[in-house]
Amino acid sequence: MSVPPLVVCAAAAVLYALGGRGRPRRRREAQFYLGVLVLAAALEPPFDGWADTSFAAHMAQHVLLLTVVPPLLVLGRPWPRLWLPFPLGVRRAAARGLARGGWSAPLRLAARTLTRPPVALLVMAASLVVWHLPRLYGAAVENEGVHFLEHACFLGTALLFWAPLLEAPPVRARVDHLRRAVWFALAAVPGWVLAVVLAYAHHPLYPVYASLSHRAFGLSAIGDQQIAAGVMWVPGSLAYFVAFVYFVYRWLEPAPVTARLEPRPEELSWT
C-alpha cells in the first residue's frame, strides 16, 4: 500500500519548518509551502477523483505536476533545510558516503548527467510522451500503483529540469541567461505537440475515457479530449513563458558598472 500523498507533503513541510528555525526567509518559505499545498491538492480528493472521470481534469493534474509544483519547490531552496533536522552524525556519515563513497559513484554520475539542461529536457519530454500513450494512460487511470508511478515520473523529471535552471543548490546550470530562456522555450514544445494531436484527432484517443457513461457538464468524449488539449496548450505553457520572459529580461540588463577606486597613471600626471 502506497503512502498517501498528504502524508508525504506534511512530512516535507515539517522538515522544512524545522530546518529553517532561526533563519527566516519569508518569500522562499511562502513559495515552498505553496508548492507543497498545490501538490497535495492535485494528488488528493476531490481533484484526484475528478481525474478518474475527466480527461481534462487529469491533464490539469499533469500540468500542475510538471509546471507549477516544481518551480515553487525549487524557488523555496529546500536543500539543505530538509536535511538539517536530522542528527549531525547521520548527516555527516551520509554526506561522506554520497560525496566520496565508491557505492555512490554511479549516483553522482547520474546526478551530473541528468541535471544538464539538454538531458533533463529530453528525459522530461520522453516521460510526457510515454505516459500519454493510450495504453499506459489507461493503466494509470485504472491502477493506483501505476498512477503513482506516473505522477512520480512527471514530478521527478520536472524537478531535474527546473532545479539547475533556477539555480537551486546543490545543482546549477552553468549557462547564461539567454540560454536559460531558450531551454524554457523549448520545454513548451512537447506539450504543444501533444495538444495539437489531441485537439485535431477525429475520434477519442483514450478508450478509458471514451467508455465512460457520464462526464462532467455532459461533455462528449471528443469534447473532453479537446478541453484537455487546451489545458496542455495554454496553462501548460504559462510557467515556461514566464521563465522565458524573465531570463530574456535578465539577459538584456546592462552589465553593472564597476566604480574605479584608484586613478589611472595618466590621471596622476600634471603635464
Side-chain angles (χ1 to χ4, degrees):
M1 183 177 179
S2 59
V3 179
L6 186 60
V7 174
V8 176
C9 291
V14 169
L15 289 174
Y16 187 82
L18 293 175
R21 288 181 299 181
R23 294 181 296 277
R25 299 286 189 275
R26 299 304 182 196
R27 185 174 65 179
R28 290 183 183 178
E29 290 173 352
Q31 289 165 333
F32 181 83
Y33 291 130
L34 180 57
V36 170
L37 182 62
V38 173
L39 179 60
L43 299 182
E44 290 285 348
F47 205 122
D48 196 50
W50 299 336
D52 292 337
T53 58
S54 169
F55 189 11
H58 201 170
M59 191 65 78
Q61 197 178 38
H62 294 173
V63 167
L64 292 174
L65 293 175
L66 287 164
T67 70
V68 178
V69 173
L72 287 173
L73 295 181
V74 166
L75 289 171
R77 298 296 189 267
W79 191 261
R81 281 186 58 158
L82 294 175
W83 181 241
L84 289 176
F86 294 96
L88 180 60
V90 173
R91 300 203 310 266
R92 285 177 172 173
R96 282 195 299 269
L98 289 172
R100 297 190 294 271
W103 63 269
S104 61
L107 295 178
R108 295 194 297 271
L109 176 61
R112 289 194 300 270
T113 302
L114 292 174
T115 53
R116 293 179 57 222
V119 178
L121 176 56
L122 181 62
V123 171
M124 184 174 68
S127 175
L128 180 69
V129 170
V130 169
W131 280 108
H132 282 87
L133 296 175
R135 187 178 295 275
L136 271 180
Y137 204 95
V141 173
E142 295 172 341
N143 185 287
E144 190 63 29
V146 178
H147 203 187
F148 172 82
L149 180 60
E150 177 194 47
H151 290 164
C153 287
F154 286 151
L155 183 59
T157 57
L159 286 171
L160 289 174
F161 175 76
W162 284 92
L165 289 174
L166 295 183
E167 295 194 326
V171 293
R172 289 182 174 87
R174 301 180 184 276
V175 295
D176 60 25
H177 293 313
L178 179 60
R179 281 183 285 180
R180 292 175 199 269
V182 170
W183 288 122
F184 281 116
L186 291 175
V189 174
W192 292 348
V193 173
L194 175 61
V196 168
V197 171
L198 295 176
Y200 289 97
H202 296 295
H203 58 86
L205 298 179
Y206 295 87
V208 68
Y209 288 115
S211 61
L212 292 175
S213 59
H214 173 74
R215 297 177 192 85
F217 308 109
L219 288 170
S220 65
I222 195 69
D224 191 19
Q225 182 171 288
Q226 289 171 342
I227 293 175
V231 169
M232 177 56 73
W233 201 328
V234 181
S237 303
L238 185 59
Y240 299 130
F241 176 74
V242 170
F244 169 80
V245 171
Y246 172 78
F247 282 110
V248 167
Y249 176 80
R250 291 290 306 275
W251 176 65
L252 292 173
E253 281 183 331
V257 178
T258 304
R260 289 189 288 114
L261 300 179
E262 297 180 359
R264 296 176 180 175
E266 59 269 22
E267 293 174 343
L268 297 174
S269 175
W270 291 89
T271 58

PDB file of all heavy atoms in Angstrom, residues 38-65:
ATOM      1  N   VAL A  38      -0.091  22.948  -3.307  1.00  0.00           N
ATOM      2  CA  VAL A  38      -0.601  22.627  -4.643  1.00  0.00           C
ATOM      3  C   VAL A  38      -0.413  21.141  -4.941  1.00  0.00           C
ATOM      4  O   VAL A  38      -1.292  20.485  -5.519  1.00  0.00           O
ATOM      5  CB  VAL A  38       0.105  23.485  -5.716  1.00  0.00           C
ATOM      6  CG1 VAL A  38      -0.297  23.031  -7.118  1.00  0.00           C
ATOM      7  CG2 VAL A  38      -0.237  24.953  -5.525  1.00  0.00           C
ATOM      8  N   LEU A  39       0.723  20.584  -4.521  1.00  0.00           N
ATOM      9  CA  LEU A  39       0.978  19.159  -4.738  1.00  0.00           C
ATOM     10  C   LEU A  39      -0.058  18.307  -4.011  1.00  0.00           C
ATOM     11  O   LEU A  39      -0.625  17.360  -4.592  1.00  0.00           O
ATOM     12  CB  LEU A  39       2.378  18.806  -4.246  1.00  0.00           C
ATOM     13  CG  LEU A  39       2.801  17.336  -4.370  1.00  0.00           C
ATOM     14  CD1 LEU A  39       2.773  16.879  -5.820  1.00  0.00           C
ATOM     15  CD2 LEU A  39       4.191  17.132  -3.768  1.00  0.00           C
ATOM     16  N   ALA A  40      -0.322  18.645  -2.765  1.00  0.00           N
ATOM     17  CA  ALA A  40      -1.321  17.883  -2.001  1.00  0.00           C
ATOM     18  C   ALA A  40      -2.704  18.022  -2.618  1.00  0.00           C
ATOM     19  O   ALA A  40      -3.450  17.038  -2.731  1.00  0.00           O
ATOM     20  CB  ALA A  40      -1.330  18.366  -0.551  1.00  0.00           C
ATOM     21  N   ALA A  41      -3.053  19.229  -3.033  1.00  0.00           N
ATOM     22  CA  ALA A  41      -4.378  19.445  -3.630  1.00  0.00           C
ATOM     23  C   ALA A  41      -4.533  18.672  -4.938  1.00  0.00           C
ATOM     24  O   ALA A  41      -5.609  18.150  -5.232  1.00  0.00           O
ATOM     25  CB  ALA A  41      -4.595  20.937  -3.874  1.00  0.00           C
ATOM     26  N   ALA A  42      -3.449  18.582  -5.724  1.00  0.00           N
ATOM     27  CA  ALA A  42      -3.520  17.905  -7.016  1.00  0.00           C
ATOM     28  C   ALA A  42      -3.643  16.395  -6.872  1.00  0.00           C
ATOM     29  O   ALA A  42      -4.266  15.735  -7.714  1.00  0.00           O
ATOM     30  CB  ALA A  42      -2.286  18.245  -7.855  1.00  0.00           C
ATOM     31  N   LEU A  43      -3.059  15.836  -5.814  1.00  0.00           N
ATOM     32  CA  LEU A  43      -2.991  14.380  -5.687  1.00  0.00           C
ATOM     33  C   LEU A  43      -4.023  13.786  -4.731  1.00  0.00           C
ATOM     34  O   LEU A  43      -4.135  12.568  -4.634  1.00  0.00           O
ATOM     35  CB  LEU A  43      -1.583  13.974  -5.237  1.00  0.00           C
ATOM     36  CG  LEU A  43      -0.441  14.358  -6.182  1.00  0.00           C
ATOM     37  CD1 LEU A  43       0.881  13.843  -5.641  1.00  0.00           C
ATOM     38  CD2 LEU A  43      -0.688  13.824  -7.581  1.00  0.00           C
ATOM     39  N   GLU A  44      -4.738  14.632  -4.021  1.00  0.00           N
ATOM     40  CA  GLU A  44      -5.729  14.148  -3.066  1.00  0.00           C
ATOM     41  C   GLU A  44      -7.149  14.460  -3.551  1.00  0.00           C
ATOM     42  O   GLU A  44      -7.333  15.306  -4.429  1.00  0.00           O
ATOM     43  CB  GLU A  44      -5.501  14.811  -1.693  1.00  0.00           C
ATOM     44  CG  GLU A  44      -4.235  14.333  -0.980  1.00  0.00           C
ATOM     45  CD  GLU A  44      -4.388  12.928  -0.393  1.00  0.00           C
ATOM     46  OE1 GLU A  44      -5.524  12.420  -0.333  1.00  0.00           O
ATOM     47  OE2 GLU A  44      -3.367  12.352   0.002  1.00  0.00           O
ATOM     48  N   PRO A  45      -8.155  13.775  -2.998  1.00  0.00           N
ATOM     49  CA  PRO A  45      -9.538  14.113  -3.330  1.00  0.00           C
ATOM     50  C   PRO A  45      -9.836  15.556  -2.916  1.00  0.00           C
ATOM     51  O   PRO A  45      -9.244  16.060  -1.962  1.00  0.00           O
ATOM     52  CB  PRO A  45     -10.350  13.120  -2.501  1.00  0.00           C
ATOM     53  CG  PRO A  45      -9.408  11.985  -2.241  1.00  0.00           C
ATOM     54  CD  PRO A  45      -8.057  12.610  -2.099  1.00  0.00           C
ATOM     55  N   PRO A  46     -10.726  16.256  -3.637  1.00  0.00           N
ATOM     56  CA  PRO A  46     -11.545  15.704  -4.731  1.00  0.00           C
ATOM     57  C   PRO A  46     -10.866  15.732  -6.094  1.00  0.00           C
ATOM     58  O   PRO A  46     -11.354  15.128  -7.030  1.00  0.00           O
ATOM     59  CB  PRO A  46     -12.765  16.627  -4.721  1.00  0.00           C
ATOM     60  CG  PRO A  46     -12.213  17.945  -4.283  1.00  0.00           C
ATOM     61  CD  PRO A  46     -11.142  17.628  -3.260  1.00  0.00           C
ATOM     62  N   PHE A  47      -9.728  16.453  -6.217  1.00  0.00           N
ATOM     63  CA  PHE A  47      -9.107  16.610  -7.536  1.00  0.00           C
ATOM     64  C   PHE A  47      -8.727  15.261  -8.132  1.00  0.00           C
ATOM     65  O   PHE A  47      -8.956  15.010  -9.324  1.00  0.00           O
ATOM     66  CB  PHE A  47      -7.854  17.495  -7.413  1.00  0.00           C
ATOM     67  CG  PHE A  47      -7.487  18.212  -8.687  1.00  0.00           C
ATOM     68  CD1 PHE A  47      -7.392  19.582  -8.729  1.00  0.00           C
ATOM     69  CD2 PHE A  47      -7.233  17.512  -9.859  1.00  0.00           C
ATOM     70  CE1 PHE A  47      -7.057  20.258  -9.895  1.00  0.00           C
ATOM     71  CE2 PHE A  47      -6.910  18.158 -11.032  1.00  0.00           C
ATOM     72  CZ  PHE A  47      -6.826  19.539 -11.050  1.00  0.00           C
ATOM     73  N   ASP A  48      -8.154  14.393  -7.334  1.00  0.00           N
ATOM     74  CA  ASP A  48      -7.718  13.102  -7.859  1.00  0.00           C
ATOM     75  C   ASP A  48      -8.908  12.270  -8.327  1.00  0.00           C
ATOM     76  O   ASP A  48      -8.796  11.501  -9.292  1.00  0.00           O
ATOM     77  CB  ASP A  48      -6.928  12.350  -6.783  1.00  0.00           C
ATOM     78  CG  ASP A  48      -6.131  11.197  -7.369  1.00  0.00           C
ATOM     79  OD1 ASP A  48      -5.408  11.410  -8.356  1.00  0.00           O
ATOM     80  OD2 ASP A  48      -6.225  10.074  -6.842  1.00  0.00           O
ATOM     81  N   GLY A  49     -10.045  12.418  -7.666  1.00  0.00           N
ATOM     82  CA  GLY A  49     -11.239  11.713  -8.109  1.00  0.00           C
ATOM     83  C   GLY A  49     -11.772  12.258  -9.427  1.00  0.00           C
ATOM     84  O   GLY A  49     -12.236  11.501 -10.291  1.00  0.00           O
ATOM     85  N   TRP A  50     -11.695  13.585  -9.604  1.00  0.00           N
ATOM     86  CA  TRP A  50     -12.128  14.178 -10.868  1.00  0.00           C
ATOM     87  C   TRP A  50     -11.296  13.643 -12.035  1.00  0.00           C
ATOM     88  O   TRP A  50     -11.803  13.453 -13.129  1.00  0.00           O
ATOM     89  CB  TRP A  50     -11.999  15.692 -10.817  1.00  0.00           C
ATOM     90  CG  TRP A  50     -12.836  16.349  -9.767  1.00  0.00           C
ATOM     91  CD1 TRP A  50     -13.982  15.839  -9.194  1.00  0.00           C
ATOM     92  CD2 TRP A  50     -12.615  17.617  -9.167  1.00  0.00           C
ATOM     93  NE1 TRP A  50     -14.479  16.726  -8.266  1.00  0.00           N
ATOM     94  CE2 TRP A  50     -13.668  17.826  -8.225  1.00  0.00           C
ATOM     95  CE3 TRP A  50     -11.655  18.610  -9.304  1.00  0.00           C
ATOM     96  CZ2 TRP A  50     -13.762  18.968  -7.457  1.00  0.00           C
ATOM     97  CZ3 TRP A  50     -11.739  19.760  -8.546  1.00  0.00           C
ATOM     98  CH2 TRP A  50     -12.779  19.934  -7.626  1.00  0.00           C
ATOM     99  N   ALA A  51      -9.995  13.404 -11.780  1.00  0.00           N
ATOM    100  CA  ALA A  51      -9.116  12.930 -12.848  1.00  0.00           C
ATOM    101  C   ALA A  51      -9.512  11.548 -13.350  1.00  0.00           C
ATOM    102  O   ALA A  51      -9.182  11.179 -14.478  1.00  0.00           O
ATOM    103  CB  ALA A  51      -7.668  12.908 -12.353  1.00  0.00           C
ATOM    104  N   ASP A  52     -10.200  10.776 -12.528  1.00  0.00           N
ATOM    105  CA  ASP A  52     -10.625   9.441 -12.954  1.00  0.00           C
ATOM    106  C   ASP A  52     -11.790   9.478 -13.936  1.00  0.00           C
ATOM    107  O   ASP A  52     -11.994   8.524 -14.690  1.00  0.00           O
ATOM    108  CB  ASP A  52     -11.020   8.595 -11.733  1.00  0.00           C
ATOM    109  CG  ASP A  52      -9.822   8.252 -10.858  1.00  0.00           C
ATOM    110  OD1 ASP A  52      -8.696   8.267 -11.377  1.00  0.00           O
ATOM    111  OD2 ASP A  52     -10.023   7.974  -9.665  1.00  0.00           O
ATOM    112  N   THR A  53     -12.545  10.561 -13.927  1.00  0.00           N
ATOM    113  CA  THR A  53     -13.739  10.636 -14.773  1.00  0.00           C
ATOM    114  C   THR A  53     -13.687  11.782 -15.773  1.00  0.00           C
ATOM    115  O   THR A  53     -14.658  11.997 -16.504  1.00  0.00           O
ATOM    116  CB  THR A  53     -14.995  10.801 -13.904  1.00  0.00           C
ATOM    117  OG1 THR A  53     -14.863  11.982 -13.097  1.00  0.00           O
ATOM    118  CG2 THR A  53     -15.188   9.593 -13.000  1.00  0.00           C
ATOM    119  N   SER A  54     -12.583  12.525 -15.805  1.00  0.00           N
ATOM    120  CA  SER A  54     -12.461  13.647 -16.727  1.00  0.00           C
ATOM    121  C   SER A  54     -11.042  13.703 -17.277  1.00  0.00           C
ATOM    122  O   SER A  54     -10.078  13.866 -16.519  1.00  0.00           O
ATOM    123  CB  SER A  54     -12.801  14.963 -16.027  1.00  0.00           C
ATOM    124  OG  SER A  54     -12.435  16.067 -16.831  1.00  0.00           O
ATOM    125  N   PHE A  55     -10.908  13.573 -18.569  1.00  0.00           N
ATOM    126  CA  PHE A  55      -9.600  13.684 -19.217  1.00  0.00           C
ATOM    127  C   PHE A  55      -9.008  15.071 -18.983  1.00  0.00           C
ATOM    128  O   PHE A  55      -7.817  15.229 -18.722  1.00  0.00           O
ATOM    129  CB  PHE A  55      -9.772  13.401 -20.711  1.00  0.00           C
ATOM    130  CG  PHE A  55      -8.486  13.266 -21.466  1.00  0.00           C
ATOM    131  CD1 PHE A  55      -7.256  13.160 -20.831  1.00  0.00           C
ATOM    132  CD2 PHE A  55      -8.497  13.241 -22.855  1.00  0.00           C
ATOM    133  CE1 PHE A  55      -6.073  13.025 -21.550  1.00  0.00           C
ATOM    134  CE2 PHE A  55      -7.320  13.113 -23.587  1.00  0.00           C
ATOM    135  CZ  PHE A  55      -6.107  13.010 -22.926  1.00  0.00           C
ATOM    136  N   ALA A  56      -9.841  16.116 -19.069  1.00  0.00           N
ATOM    137  CA  ALA A  56      -9.360  17.477 -18.877  1.00  0.00           C
ATOM    138  C   ALA A  56      -8.815  17.683 -17.462  1.00  0.00           C
ATOM    139  O   ALA A  56      -7.769  18.324 -17.262  1.00  0.00           O
ATOM    140  CB  ALA A  56     -10.478  18.475 -19.166  1.00  0.00           C
ATOM    141  N   ALA A  57      -9.518  17.131 -16.451  1.00  0.00           N
ATOM    142  CA  ALA A  57      -9.032  17.253 -15.073  1.00  0.00           C
ATOM    143  C   ALA A  57      -7.727  16.501 -14.891  1.00  0.00           C
ATOM    144  O   ALA A  57      -6.823  16.962 -14.182  1.00  0.00           O
ATOM    145  CB  ALA A  57     -10.093  16.734 -14.105  1.00  0.00           C
ATOM    146  N   HIS A  58      -7.626  15.333 -15.517  1.00  0.00           N
ATOM    147  CA  HIS A  58      -6.388  14.563 -15.425  1.00  0.00           C
ATOM    148  C   HIS A  58      -5.238  15.325 -16.073  1.00  0.00           C
ATOM    149  O   HIS A  58      -4.115  15.344 -15.556  1.00  0.00           O
ATOM    150  CB  HIS A  58      -6.574  13.205 -16.099  1.00  0.00           C
ATOM    151  CG  HIS A  58      -5.580  12.181 -15.644  1.00  0.00           C
ATOM    152  ND1 HIS A  58      -5.691  10.843 -15.960  1.00  0.00           N
ATOM    153  CD2 HIS A  58      -4.444  12.280 -14.901  1.00  0.00           C
ATOM    154  CE1 HIS A  58      -4.681  10.178 -15.432  1.00  0.00           C
ATOM    155  NE2 HIS A  58      -3.907  11.036 -14.796  1.00  0.00           N
ATOM    156  N   MET A  59      -5.494  15.987 -17.195  1.00  0.00           N
ATOM    157  CA  MET A  59      -4.455  16.777 -17.842  1.00  0.00           C
ATOM    158  C   MET A  59      -4.063  17.970 -16.972  1.00  0.00           C
ATOM    159  O   MET A  59      -2.882  18.333 -16.882  1.00  0.00           O
ATOM    160  CB  MET A  59      -4.935  17.255 -19.205  1.00  0.00           C
ATOM    161  CG  MET A  59      -3.837  17.859 -20.061  1.00  0.00           C
ATOM    162  SD  MET A  59      -2.571  16.645 -20.510  1.00  0.00           S
ATOM    163  CE  MET A  59      -3.420  15.783 -21.833  1.00  0.00           C
ATOM    164  N   ALA A  60      -5.029  18.588 -16.309  1.00  0.00           N
ATOM    165  CA  ALA A  60      -4.714  19.691 -15.400  1.00  0.00           C
ATOM    166  C   ALA A  60      -3.821  19.210 -14.260  1.00  0.00           C
ATOM    167  O   ALA A  60      -2.906  19.919 -13.816  1.00  0.00           O
ATOM    168  CB  ALA A  60      -6.005  20.301 -14.854  1.00  0.00           C
ATOM    169  N   GLN A  61      -4.087  18.011 -13.783  1.00  0.00           N
ATOM    170  CA  GLN A  61      -3.244  17.407 -12.753  1.00  0.00           C
ATOM    171  C   GLN A  61      -1.806  17.286 -13.237  1.00  0.00           C
ATOM    172  O   GLN A  61      -0.852  17.625 -12.515  1.00  0.00           O
ATOM    173  CB  GLN A  61      -3.813  16.037 -12.397  1.00  0.00           C
ATOM    174  CG  GLN A  61      -3.320  15.439 -11.104  1.00  0.00           C
ATOM    175  CD  GLN A  61      -4.005  14.100 -10.837  1.00  0.00           C
ATOM    176  OE1 GLN A  61      -4.246  13.299 -11.746  1.00  0.00           O
ATOM    177  NE2 GLN A  61      -4.322  13.845  -9.584  1.00  0.00           N
ATOM    178  N   HIS A  62      -1.629  16.858 -14.472  1.00  0.00           N
ATOM    179  CA  HIS A  62      -0.285  16.716 -15.031  1.00  0.00           C
ATOM    180  C   HIS A  62       0.401  18.070 -15.202  1.00  0.00           C
ATOM    181  O   HIS A  62       1.604  18.206 -14.962  1.00  0.00           O
ATOM    182  CB  HIS A  62      -0.352  15.988 -16.374  1.00  0.00           C
ATOM    183  CG  HIS A  62      -0.792  14.571 -16.250  1.00  0.00           C
ATOM    184  ND1 HIS A  62      -1.059  13.764 -17.334  1.00  0.00           N
ATOM    185  CD2 HIS A  62      -1.022  13.801 -15.153  1.00  0.00           C
ATOM    186  CE1 HIS A  62      -1.432  12.569 -16.922  1.00  0.00           C
ATOM    187  NE2 HIS A  62      -1.425  12.574 -15.598  1.00  0.00           N
ATOM    188  N   VAL A  63      -0.358  19.068 -15.613  1.00  0.00           N
ATOM    189  CA  VAL A  63       0.207  20.410 -15.766  1.00  0.00           C
ATOM    190  C   VAL A  63       0.722  20.935 -14.423  1.00  0.00           C
ATOM    191  O   VAL A  63       1.805  21.536 -14.339  1.00  0.00           O
ATOM    192  CB  VAL A  63      -0.841  21.364 -16.369  1.00  0.00           C
ATOM    193  CG1 VAL A  63      -0.400  22.817 -16.245  1.00  0.00           C
ATOM    194  CG2 VAL A  63      -1.095  21.010 -17.836  1.00  0.00           C
ATOM    195  N   LEU A  64      -0.031  20.706 -13.371  1.00  0.00           N
ATOM    196  CA  LEU A  64       0.411  21.142 -12.040  1.00  0.00           C
ATOM    197  C   LEU A  64       1.709  20.443 -11.639  1.00  0.00           C
ATOM    198  O   LEU A  64       2.622  21.076 -11.076  1.00  0.00           O
ATOM    199  CB  LEU A  64      -0.678  20.858 -11.011  1.00  0.00           C
ATOM    200  CG  LEU A  64      -1.963  21.685 -11.133  1.00  0.00           C
ATOM    201  CD1 LEU A  64      -3.005  21.192 -10.139  1.00  0.00           C
ATOM    202  CD2 LEU A  64      -1.687  23.169 -10.926  1.00  0.00           C
ATOM    203  N   LEU A  65       1.809  19.147 -11.915  1.00  0.00           N
ATOM    204  CA  LEU A  65       2.993  18.378 -11.515  1.00  0.00           C
ATOM    205  C   LEU A  65       4.220  18.741 -12.350  1.00  0.00           C
ATOM    206  O   LEU A  65       5.348  18.605 -11.877  1.00  0.00           O
ATOM    207  CB  LEU A  65       2.715  16.879 -11.654  1.00  0.00           C
ATOM    208  CG  LEU A  65       1.665  16.300 -10.699  1.00  0.00           C
ATOM    209  CD1 LEU A  65       1.398  14.838 -11.040  1.00  0.00           C
ATOM    210  CD2 LEU A  65       2.111  16.435  -9.252  1.00  0.00           C
TER     211      LEU A  65
END
